[in-house]
Amino acid sequence: MSKRTAETLTSCAAASEREGDSMQGIAVPLAEAPSTPRSLASTAVLAEAPSFEASVVQYSALRAAGKQLSEVTGVGKQLSDQILTRLQRSDMAGATSLLDSIGQLPSFESALGASIWGDLEQRVQLCWSHGVSTFLEAFITCLCFQSFLQRGVLTAEVPGRWLVGAQDLDDELYLLGV
């Protein structure tokens, strides 16, 4: 124990005696120097460990694609909310111009990239976790409402570029929007 630590402990003990400490009589154990860490694995074991570089590359690609998809769905959701507001105000021209703006957004396929879009499991997982359902529900609601106001038909067809490509998921999202 260093001289400074011993002085600190002595001064603390003296201060507690003066203040009538309720902990009086309890022995405080002295601190011990920490032991040096043990090596958990030898160099031979570490040399045989697999490289995670491929996983890092795949994770980075998935993260970038998810970020791009989130940006598309976020903007699409905001535009859908504005379209719905304009339709409720009977501003058909404003709603149509905003629908054209949604048409200018990158499709889900281009946001994810060809390699990720080709893997159905990754595509569905990314679409499910990055706001596609929220966007499509609002967008389909707008399409159906606009169709009802213009033609009296409540159901509308969803453009192919906004379909995920998994039949069950596309059907579910359509029903949520209707």
Side-chain angles (χ1 to χ4, degrees):
M1 176 167 40
S2 70
K3 182 178 177 181
R4 183 174 182 195
T5 305
E7 290 173 355
T8 304
L9 287 175
T10 306
S11 65
C12 287
S16 68
E17 286 177 15
R18 285 190 303 255
E19 296 174 4
D21 188 11
S22 62
M23 299 290 289
Q24 191 173 17
I26 297 176
V28 178
L30 297 176
E32 297 177 9
S35 62
T36 57
R38 289 183 282 159
S39 176
L40 296 177
S42 66
T43 346
V45 172
L46 290 176
E48 295 174 8
S51 172
F52 293 104
E53 290 179 19
S55 297
V56 169
V57 170
Q58 182 184 17
Y59 172 74
S60 298
L62 289 172
R63 194 170 109 195
K67 182 178 178 184
Q68 178 72 21
L69 186 61
S70 290
E71 290 173 4
V72 169
T73 58
V75 170
K77 173 70 168 96
Q78 289 176 350
L79 289 171
S80 296
D81 290 342
Q82 292 175 10
I83 291 168
L84 194 57
T85 302
R86 300 232 172 142
L87 287 173
Q88 289 171 350
R89 294 179 184 165
S90 298
D91 180 7
M92 293 302 222
T96 303
S97 72
L98 288 174
L99 276 170
D100 293 340
S101 297
I102 287 181
Q104 300 301 320
L105 291 174
S107 67
F108 297 149
E109 183 177 3
S110 63
L112 291 177
S115 63
I116 295 174
W117 186 260
D119 185 341
L120 181 64
E121 186 178 340
Q122 286 181 347
R123 176 185 350 152
V124 169
Q125 185 63 37
L126 284 172
C127 286
W128 194 253
S129 61
H130 285 88
V132 168
S133 60
T134 306
F135 160 59
L136 281 180
E137 183 179 340
F139 181 61
I140 292 169
T141 300
C142 293
L143 291 176
C144 291
F145 189 41
Q146 183 184 35
S147 171
F148 179 75
L149 293 175
Q150 290 176 341
R151 298 185 313 255
V153 177
L154 189 57
T155 56
E157 189 172 326
V158 180
R161 66 191 316 256
W162 298 121
L163 296 176
V164 175
Q167 186 66 39
D168 292 341
L169 181 59
D170 287 332
D171 290 346
E172 181 180 343
L173 296 175
Y174 184 79
L175 291 174
L176 284 172
V178 172

